[in-house]
Amino acid sequence: MNFPSQRKSSIPAARNEVIRANFASHYEEHMSGLIRHVMRYGATPYEAADAAQGAYIEAFRVWHLITCPEAWLRKVAFRQYLRQAPRPQEELTDEVPDRPAFSCPLDKVVLKDEETHVYEALAQLPMRQRQVIAWHLDGFSTNEIADALDIRPPAVRQNLARTQLKELLGLTPGTPGGAQ
């Protein structure tokens, strides 16, 4: 007879110390980058953190099968973000909630003014362009982006929208604060 505490987990990562350690190391090293990636789609830091956390939860179940975790997690985090229900604006209260004892992944995502400006500019672009730019900013090649997003490389190049983004950021001649 098996008691609940004696059952082995059906999740390989939960049984294998090497897989668990590899997963934990990856999470620690890449979680903040994944949150930033989702924020480039227009997510708030909290929405992005929820989506990234959901992606890592899904990844834990199949970690031993994932061959390219960076791409896999980005695709899943994007789907998680799209599934989130729109949230009503929260009202501030007089009391500050207790802070949990664990470390929040958002603590590592402290945005500088310049980065906030870039996210605001990205939010003005169509979603496909935001997707392509988010992957590009994370260092993926045109062919890798095309494979991940299931589009052709010329479509990736077309959707990079660097000129449009530079205009939104005021980095082109003739725009306020732009290069002269």
Side-chain angles (χ1 to χ4, degrees), residues 6-66:
Q6 293 176 324
R7 284 190 218 147
K8 291 189 176 187
S9 171
S10 62
I11 301 171
R15 290 182 296 192
N16 185 307
E17 272 188 53
V18 174
I19 295 174
R20 260 195 339 257
N22 177 274
F23 178 85
S25 172
H26 192 279
Y27 180 93
E28 183 69 30
E29 186 177 338
H30 296 279
M31 179 58 149
S32 62
L34 185 59
I35 292 170
R36 279 186 159 84
H37 179 83
V38 177
M39 287 174 63
R40 291 178 186 132
Y41 294 126
T44 67
Y46 295 103
E47 291 168 336
D50 283 349
Q53 186 67 33
Y56 268 103
I57 289 169
E58 285 189 40
F60 185 72
R61 294 181 178 112
V62 293
W63 192 250
H64 63 292
L65 301 173
I66 299 173

Side-chain angles (χ1 to χ4, degrees), residues 128-129 131-133 142-143 145-146 149-161:
R128 177 58 85 186
Q129 289 178 349
Q131 280 183 297
V132 170
I133 290 172
T142 300
N143 289 334
I145 296 169
L149 300 179
D150 198 27
I151 58 178
R152 298 179 53 122
V156 170
R157 287 188 288 277
Q158 181 181 3
N159 279 293
L160 270 173

Side-chain angles (χ1 to χ4, degrees), residues 13 20 36 73 83 117 141:
R20 260 195 339 257
R36 279 186 159 84
L73 285 162
R83 284 188 203 127
H117 185 60
S141 72

Side-chain angles (χ1 to χ4, degrees), residues 94-147:
D94 291 338
E95 296 180 32
V96 176
D98 290 337
R99 185 169 175 95
F102 61 88
S103 172
C104 176
L106 278 178
D107 291 341
K108 295 181 181 177
V109 182
V110 178
L111 301 179
K112 298 181 176 108
D113 288 340
E114 294 165 348
E115 196 171 9
T116 301
H117 185 60
V118 170
Y119 289 138
E120 289 168 355
L122 283 170
Q124 296 177 49
L125 298 174
M127 181 56 81
R128 177 58 85 186
Q129 289 178 349
R130 280 185 264 166
Q131 280 183 297
V132 170
I133 290 172
W135 284 79
H136 176 74
L137 291 174
D138 286 343
F140 288 86
S141 72
T142 300
N143 289 334
E144 290 170 328
I145 296 169
D147 287 343

